[in-house]
Amino acid sequence: DAGVTQSPTHLIKTRGQQVTLRCSPISGHKSVSWYQQVLGQGPQFIFQYYEKEERGRGNFPDRFSARQFPNYSSELNVNALLLGDSALYLCASSGGTGADTQYFGPGTRLTVL
Amino acid sequence: GQQLNQSPQSMFIQEGEDVSMNCTSSSIFNTWLWYKQEPGEGPVLLIALYKAGELTSNGRLTAQFGITRKDSFLNISASIPSDVGIYFCAGQRSGNTPLVFGKGTRLSVIA
């Protein structure tokens, strides 16, 4: 079975632009979480979605938004990009119920110039 | 955002040596997880711990869930070059809550 997939792999944007990142969870998983990982740090939670509903949101500005589609895939949008948004953006999928383990995709490396 | 206290920050060891790293928190977690991340990849789950005091092994890796539920330990025995990477601990308060990560331990193995 395929694991969590993310696209694109790498992305270069300039300040002020907008970006959309995509994630497809493991087949059968209904929950998707997004994390931001800046260099030298552990991942930081941004959003969690389950059955298309937002279940949780981390301490990120309103420039960050996300949604989940009926097939459980998800998009993360970031508007008005800042240099500090440069990071590895990770998507994790889980079943969504009970003691769920989160499995991570390879990430999208975003560079803001 | 909150991060767990993970130590050591980095380690340089000889191939064949054993490795120990730990993770502490000021608050309780009901699940502890250990992930490994290699350059350009996402974290890969190594071991998941669900019960205070639990000791779980995965090959040469052994992890323990501290009795206070505020800490966890990971040991790697007889290290090999492919153990190189960054090891992250993560705590989870309940089954569907977000993971809180440590800053990672960077492991280098000298052949």
Side-chain angles (χ1 to χ4, degrees):
Chain A
D1 276 345
V4 179
T5 59
Q6 292 186 244
S7 64
T9 307
H10 295 88
L11 206 48
I12 299 176
K13 292 284 188 178
T14 56
R15 279 177 295 176
Q17 284 190 311
Q18 174 264 341
V19 68
T20 298
L21 312 180
R22 296 176 177 84
C23 170
S24 291
I26 293 170
S27 178
H29 281 188
K30 298 181 179 180
S31 182
V32 167
S33 298
W34 287 95
Y35 292 81
Q36 180 196 63
Q37 185 179 24
V38 300
L39 206 59
Q41 301 290 322
Q44 292 278 336
F45 170 71
I46 311 174
F47 284 110
Q48 183 181 33
Y49 276 79
Y50 174 68
E51 292 275 19
K52 296 175 288 178
E53 304 247 333
E54 182 182 302
R55 186 174 260 181
R57 183 185 181 119
N59 188 22
F60 280 81
D62 291 344
R63 299 184 296 107
F64 289 76
S65 63
R67 56 180 174 166
Q68 187 177 32
F69 298 99
N71 66 353
Y72 304 114
S73 67
S74 178
E75 285 182 353
L76 175 70
N77 296 287
V78 188
N79 292 324
L81 285 167
L82 303 173
L83 295 179
D85 295 331
S86 295
L88 181 68
Y89 287 85
L90 295 162
C91 172
S93 86
S94 61
T97 59
D100 275 334
T101 303
Q102 294 188 20
Y103 297 92
F104 285 84
T108 293
R109 171 71 63 189
L110 172 65
T111 302
V112 182
L113 302 176
Chain B
Q2 180 190 4
Q3 286 202 318
L4 304 177
N5 301 310
Q6 191 170 347
S7 64
Q9 203 170 358
S10 63
M11 303 180 76
F12 289 83
I13 61 165
Q14 294 279 348
E15 184 177 357
E17 287 185 349
D18 296 344
V19 172
S20 290
M21 58 190 79
N22 69 77
C23 198
T24 61
S25 169
S26 57
S27 53
I28 288 171
F29 289 98
N30 291 307
T31 300
W32 283 90
L33 306 123
W34 286 91
Y35 289 86
K36 179 187 177 187
Q37 187 174 30
E38 297 185 37
E41 302 290 331
V44 174
L45 181 67
L46 300 173
I47 293 180
L49 302 156
Y50 300 107
K51 207 169 166 184
E54 179 182 353
L55 187 71
T56 298
S57 292
N58 177 9
R60 295 178 295 105
L61 276 61
T62 301
Q64 183 158 26
F65 189 146
I67 290 176
T68 64
R69 292 190 283 160
K70 292 183 179 182
D71 57 7
S72 179
F73 304 87
L74 176 70
N75 295 312
I76 304 173
S77 62
S79 58
I80 58 178
S82 62
D83 290 334
V84 166
I86 304 177
Y87 291 78
F88 288 98
C89 61
Q92 191 175 30
R93 291 199 166 81
S94 65
N96 296 314
T97 56
L99 301 179
V100 178
F101 282 85
K103 290 188 177 183
T105 293
R106 183 180 294 274
L107 178 64
S108 301
V109 179
I110 304 163

